[in-house]
C-alpha cells in the first residue's frame, strides 16, 4: 500500500478520533487499535528514514571542506 506521510497521518488521526469517541463496538475498537499501531510503525519508519538521510547528508557536508 503506497501513500504519503500526510495521508498516513490523516488516517492515523481519524483512527485515534474514532477510538477516543467511544462509539466503536469492542471488536471494531480492537481492529482500529491494530490499524493505528500499524500506521504508527510505518510513519515512524518514514520519519526515521528521513532523519537518517538528512544526518548522512549533513555529515557529508561537514566532512567536505569549503572551497
Amino acid at each position: 500500500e503506497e501513500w504519503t506521510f500526510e495521508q498516513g497521518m490523516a488516517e492515523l488521526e481519524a483512527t485515534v478520533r474514532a477510538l477516543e469517541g467511544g462509539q466503536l463496538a469492542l471488536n471494531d475498537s480492537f481492529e482500529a487499535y491494530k490499524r493505528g499501531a500499524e500506521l504508527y510503525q510505518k510513519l515512524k519508519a518514514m520519519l526515521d528514514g528521513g532523519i537518517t538521510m538528512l544526518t548522512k547528508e549533513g555529515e557529508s557536508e561537514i566532512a567536505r571542506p569549503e572551497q
Side-chain angles (χ1 to χ4, degrees):
E1 140 187 28
E2 291 289 324
W3 39 258
T4 65
F5 182 84
E6 291 79 8
Q7 290 169 323
M9 278 299 297
E11 184 178 347
L12 180 57
E13 289 169 350
T15 301
V16 169
R17 278 193 302 276
L19 286 166
E20 289 178 341
Q23 300 300 314
L24 296 175
L26 183 59
N27 201 37
D28 292 338
S29 292
F30 289 141
E31 290 300 317
Y33 181 87
K34 181 180 170 184
R35 179 62 180 158
E38 291 170 357
L39 287 165
Y40 169 79
Q41 290 300 321
K42 289 180 181 180
L43 292 167
K44 183 177 181 317
M46 290 174 85
L47 284 175
D48 290 345
I51 290 169
T52 299
M53 181 183 68
L54 290 173
T55 301
K56 286 182 180 179
E57 286 179 8
E59 288 172 357
S60 66
E61 291 293 323
I62 293 169
R64 207 175 334 149
E66 290 188 35
Q67 297 180 359

